[in-house]
Amino acid sequence: IEIKHAKEALELKKGDDNLWRFEKPALGFADFEGPPPPKELPPGIKLPEAGVKGLIGAIQNIRVDADADFVAAAKDNLTKHQLEDGKELIRIQVGTSDFKKETTNETLLIGELAREYYYARLANDKGVFKLKAKLIEPVLSALKNPGKLRSLDVGQFDPKTVDVITLRIGKDEAKLWHPDGKPWQIKIGNEPAKKANEQAVSKLLDTLQGKRQIQSFHDDADTKALDAKLGLDAPVLEVNLYAAGLEKKEEKKDAKKDEKKDEKKDEKKESKQDDGFELKKDAKPALTLRFGKADKETVPVLRGTDARFVVPKAMLDAAAPAEGPLAFLDPALPPFDVAEIIRLDLQRGAKKLELERAGGSQAGRWLVKEGKDKADQNLADVHRSSMIFNLMGGLTAKKWHKRLDPKDDLDAYGLKSPALSVTVKKLRITPAAAASALALVSLPVEARPLAAAGALAALYGDKGETVVIQFGKETADKDIYAKHSGSDLLFAVSADLVKMLRETDLRDKTALLLTEPYLAAGAVGAVAAQPLAGLMPLAPVNTGLVINLDPAKITHIRLAMRNSFELRELSFQRKDKTWIDQTGLKDFNLDAERVEQLAKEFARLRADRMISLAGGPKADQKLAAKDFTAKIDLTTDAGKTISITVGAPLDRHGHFAHATNWPDAVFLLQASRLESLTRGVGYFAKERVAAE
């Protein structure tokens, strides 16, 4: 499109890449679509198309309004109406091309303006006609204000075609490349190439496109002085994008290395990664951006060598975050398979919890040890322990922060003496061990135990490896600093992950429910072997009868009930075959029948399930005086008192409970049986009727 009027000229051209550019004046890229219309427009209002598309539409809309507007032929028409070629007032030329890319030009010459009409003709025809002036106004507007057609997009490129990105952030340099059909790779400085963060790279390309992010342009003539002023001569960030810029490296054979091979090399040390691709020698960037000195809200940018403009500072922050090129590194830490783990230690401050693989009859399970517990007596919860194994084996960084230097103060991140750490002992499953394990399947069942010992020997013959993951202080983003022994990078993880590692109970509490069936089976077996043992099934351990009192002889009941707000105590006394309140509550009308029912239920209390017969209550059962849920003291007319304490719930199976007449045992009571102890004072009161 070419438009000329006096000394003003506008020339726009579409390239082979379908992008429109200014030829005159030299304003760079033109915006084809123009800005999007407002989301909400009044009914019936339709805005005209904008950008180059709108200009094309305006030119296509130029037409003779009526037959009367054709001017009768005369010899002096062209001179009279300023329509001689080269002497016209306005010249509009449009070039079109067909599928063969052959260009055809159509030129409209516009001359004298008479009232509301321009006289005009086509360059290849001397016939004169009149055009309404308002049809020419959009064209003249574009000519007078070409800047309105400027594209406000930072980068004009197709992200799908980009296969190389080079970054220079301050002193840090990085190269990202994307061979066809392979994942993105990143090389930071002279370090070996690693897998890149696909999502972060995709976000980077979106950022560099900068759709309508240009706020203003710098068109100063003295570009050298301008670049110095804006900091574009020493940019804080320089980015180069290449489209189809990769080629395969030439293979160089080394006869000596081919003759000498070390089979154990791959097992002991990872080989240096060679991507097999390099940047073409004659490759030219599809886009080069240099970011200068930023203020609080904006930053200047130099695109290529001639386009200078201002964009929001957020664009620089996204393309060059504080962690530098590390932001584009794959977040995965060195992984390991759960099958390789033989032990995991979880250090929670001063407390240490140990998980180790079980052997013998419990092979395939994990055992847990905490403090002075014996690890061979406590099964670990399968699902919770597996969750931790998988999380640690597949740990990813929520954010990379920096490369740690030996001189760095780890205490600043809470990693000098971390409050939480995970130590994993793992064994590599060597080909020999794997082959031995697979061979077991082909052996007769009776021969497998002996062969299994050999397979395990092959597996455990490996010295193994220890992985240590440490968790420190909170970051500014409310995440947690962390360090992995397999990496020299400081990173952050979610605070929720750390909370889970700190608080998850790894004991298999459901295993406690197996105690009673084992006891019952043992009692039945004892009867079969020894007739005198026939009394064993009648013992409390098998009958579940924990307390055996005469309800009528209970004379005093004391209750203590704890909720999240308070500890409430009640006291009831039997008097003249009824119960009276001795607590001293005001306006409290005791329901004596409820108290009598309570006495009957707990005087002959049966456990719903036995948990343990020795050792007494444990801390996690919450049966101590400082953390019990409820407590009931039953006193008989002989002055004897038995106390029953109710503690923590065991999933949906009931609550732990303990009675002083059997101090070594712990049992379960179903929640439905504890309503009288958990509902509070209101359970024992009659509804108070207001005085009339």
Side-chain angles (χ1 to χ4, degrees):
I1 302 172
E2 295 181 42
I3 305 171
K4 295 180 180 179
H5 179 213
K7 294 182 179 181
E8 296 176 327
L10 172 62
E11 185 176 342
L12 298 164
K13 188 175 182 180
K14 183 169 71 171
D16 293 336
D17 53 5
N18 286 326
L19 297 176
W20 284 86
R21 294 172 175 83
F22 284 90
E23 297 289 321
K24 294 179 184 180
L27 299 180
F29 291 99
D31 187 355
F32 180 72
E33 294 285 349
K39 293 182 178 180
E40 295 183 3
L41 286 174
I45 300 297
K46 184 178 181 181
L47 296 178
E49 292 180 324
V52 177
K53 185 178 181 181
L55 177 59
I56 293 173
I59 294 172
Q60 288 178 327
N61 195 45
I62 297 174
R63 64 191 64 203
V64 179
D65 195 42
D67 290 343
D69 293 333
F70 286 98
V71 179
K75 291 183 179 180
D76 61 345
N77 271 355
L78 301 188
T79 304
K80 179 181 178 181
H81 299 300
Q82 295 178 256
L83 290 173
E84 291 179 284
D85 198 349
K87 296 182 180 180
E88 69 278 353
L89 183 66
I90 304 169
R91 187 183 188 95
I92 302 174
Q93 182 172 299
V94 177
T96 59
S97 62
D98 56 20
F99 67 95
K100 294 181 180 179
K101 295 187 178 181
E102 295 180 358
T103 303
T104 301
N105 291 324
E106 293 186 56
T107 305
L108 176 67
L109 305 178
I110 301 175
E112 178 190 7
L113 174 63
R115 295 184 180 180
E116 298 178 357
Y117 289 90
Y118 280 103
Y119 286 91
R121 74 178 179 93
L122 296 175
N124 60 354
D125 189 346
K126 294 184 179 181
V128 178
F129 44 82
K130 292 190 295 183
L131 299 172
K132 285 186 176 180
K134 66 179 182 180
L135 297 177
I136 312 302
E137 288 176 0
V139 178
L140 293 178
S141 177
L143 180 65
K144 292 178 181 179
N145 299 290
K148 289 186 176 182
L149 296 177
R150 264 182 158 174
S151 173
L152 300 182
D153 295 345
V154 174
Q156 304 281 350
F157 63 90
D158 182 358
K160 295 179 182 178
T161 65
V162 175
D163 57 358
V164 179
I165 306 172
T166 63
L167 298 167
R168 190 174 76 241
I169 306 174
K171 297 180 180 179
D172 296 329
E173 293 187 2
K175 171 186 164 187
L176 291 146
W177 67 97
H178 183 211
D180 188 28
K182 296 184 179 180
W184 279 92
Q185 301 290 312
I186 184 170
K187 185 177 176 66
I188 302 175
N190 296 321
E191 298 177 5
K194 297 180 180 178
K195 186 180 178 183
N197 185 339
E198 299 273 339
Q199 186 176 358
V201 176
S202 178
K203 185 178 179 181
L204 173 64
L205 292 173
D206 287 342
T207 297
L208 297 177
Q209 278 190 303
K211 291 294 185 181
R212 306 200 64 79
Q213 290 297 299
I214 297 177
Q215 297 180 347
S216 61
F217 290 88
H218 288 286
D219 295 320
D220 302 48
D222 189 353
T223 57
K224 186 175 181 180
L226 180 63
D227 288 349
K229 177 183 176 182
L230 301 177
L232 295 171
D233 55 351
V236 296
L237 167 66
E238 181 175 333
V239 184
N240 290 284
L241 303 185
Y242 296 84
L246 283 180
E247 65 180 359
K248 284 192 175 184
K249 291 181 180 179
E250 294 182 6
E251 295 183 3
K252 298 179 181 180
K253 295 184 178 180
D254 190 331
K256 293 182 179 180
K257 288 185 178 180
D258 288 342
E259 292 175 1
K260 187 178 180 180
K261 294 182 179 180
D262 186 356
E263 295 180 356
K264 296 182 179 180
K265 184 177 180 180
D266 290 339
E267 295 182 6
K268 294 183 178 181
K269 185 179 180 180
E270 293 183 0
S271 60
K272 185 177 180 180
Q273 184 174 350
D274 183 4
D275 53 57
F277 292 87
E278 62 185 358
L279 189 64
K280 294 177 182 177
K281 294 180 180 179
D282 58 346
K284 295 181 179 180
L287 175 68
T288 297
L289 296 176
R290 296 176 179 88
F291 292 76
K293 297 176 183 176
D295 57 27
K296 291 183 179 180
E297 296 182 356
T298 62
V299 60
V301 178
L302 170 60
R303 181 176 62 202
T305 59
D306 53 5
R308 294 164 178 83
F309 45 80
V310 174
V311 300
K313 182 177 177 292
M315 185 173 175
L316 173 61
D317 295 337
E323 61 270 31
L326 290 177
F328 309 107
L329 181 65
D330 183 65
L333 286 143
F336 52 84
D337 197 306
V338 174
E340 299 175 335
I341 303 174
I342 59 170
R343 181 185 175 92
L344 183 145
D345 292 344
L346 187 55
Q347 191 74 43
R348 296 168 168 170
K351 294 183 179 180
K352 184 177 182 180
L353 187 145
E354 304 169 19
L355 286 168
E356 61 182 24
R357 284 190 182 275
S361 61
Q362 294 179 340
R365 293 296 302 270
W366 283 86
L367 302 175
V368 60
K369 175 184 176 183
E370 184 174 5
K372 297 180 180 180
D373 289 351
K374 293 183 179 180
D376 59 352
Q377 291 183 353
N378 299 290
L379 288 174
D381 184 278
V382 175
H383 299 292
R384 292 173 183 169
S385 55
S386 294
M387 176 179 64
I388 288 183
F389 295 151
N390 285 310
L391 285 173
M392 296 301 99
L395 187 64
T396 59
K398 186 175 181 181
K399 180 181 180 181
W400 298 110
H401 277 271
K402 60 173 290 185
R403 192 172 302 282
L404 288 170
D405 187 271
K407 297 180 181 179
D408 283 336
D409 180 15
L410 293 180
D411 197 41
Y413 310 109
L415 294 170
K416 186 175 181 180
S417 301
L420 178 69
S421 65
V422 177
T423 302
V424 177
K425 176 73 173 178
K426 68 186 188 76
L427 295 177
R428 250 175 342 138
I429 302 178
T430 62
S436 298
L438 288 173
L440 293 177
V441 181
S442 62
L443 295 177
V445 175
E446 62 273 10
R448 289 180 186 175
L450 184 60
L456 288 174
L459 177 63
Y460 284 79
D462 187 282
K463 293 182 179 180
E465 180 184 354
T466 299
V467 177
V468 180
I469 307 168
Q470 299 171 320
F471 303 92
K473 293 181 179 178
E474 190 177 79
T475 71
D477 299 325
K478 305 298 182 182
D479 296 320
I480 304 297
Y481 286 115
K483 186 179 182 303
H484 192 290
S485 60
S487 172
D488 61 351
L489 298 178
L490 177 70
F491 60 96
V493 297
S494 166
D496 291 336
L497 169 64
V498 174
K499 182 180 179 182
M500 184 273 294
L501 291 173
R502 281 198 183 110
E503 299 178 1
T504 299
D505 187 352
L506 294 176
R507 296 175 183 274
D508 185 3
K509 290 187 175 181
T510 59
L512 297 172
L513 304 177
L514 300 176
T515 304
E516 187 175 287
Y518 287 149
L519 293 173
V524 172
V527 173
Q530 300 180 25
L532 291 179
L535 296 176
M536 289 185 65
L538 302 178
V541 66
N542 294 304
T543 63
L545 189 62
V546 177
I547 300 174
N548 190 9
L549 299 175
D550 184 352
K553 293 185 178 182
I554 296 177
T555 59
H556 193 188
I557 297 177
R558 286 184 296 275
L559 287 175
M561 298 169 287
R562 175 181 279 117
N563 56 34
S564 56
F565 306 103
E566 65 175 356
L567 176 66
R568 177 65 65 90
E569 295 183 349
L570 300 175
S571 178
F572 307 131
Q573 184 78 34
R574 188 190 292 274
K575 186 176 182 180
D576 298 331
K577 297 183 180 182
T578 190
W579 290 91
I580 61 173
D581 174 49
Q582 288 191 328
T583 311
L585 299 175
K586 294 182 179 180
D587 289 340
F588 179 70
N589 188 11
L590 181 65
D591 188 337
E593 292 182 3
R594 286 282 179 92
V595 179
E596 183 64 23
Q597 182 182 355
L598 175 70
K600 291 179 179 179
E601 288 178 357
F602 283 87
R604 290 194 170 92
L605 181 66
R606 288 183 182 272
D608 291 310
R609 189 179 290 268
M610 299 304 301
I611 295 299
S612 61
L613 306 180
K618 295 184 178 180
D620 59 351
Q621 294 168 349
K622 298 188 181 302
L623 291 166
K626 63 179 181 179
D627 53 10
F628 64 76
T629 299
K631 183 180 179 184
I632 177 171
D633 296 335
L634 304 177
T635 303
T636 66
D637 55 5
K640 179 181 179 182
T641 299
I642 295 178
S643 298
I644 303 101
T645 308
V646 178
L650 176 60
D651 296 330
R652 60 183 181 278
H653 303 290
H655 284 253
F656 291 108
H658 172 261
T660 53
N661 64 312
W662 196 357
D664 290 333
V666 176
F667 50 93
L668 279 183
L669 294 177
Q670 291 182 1
S672 60
R673 300 177 58 191
L674 301 174
E675 183 181 14
S676 57
L677 303 183
T678 57
R679 277 187 52 182
V681 180
Y683 179 82
F684 298 99
K686 291 181 180 180
E687 186 175 355
R688 187 171 62 87
V689 180
E692 296 181 359

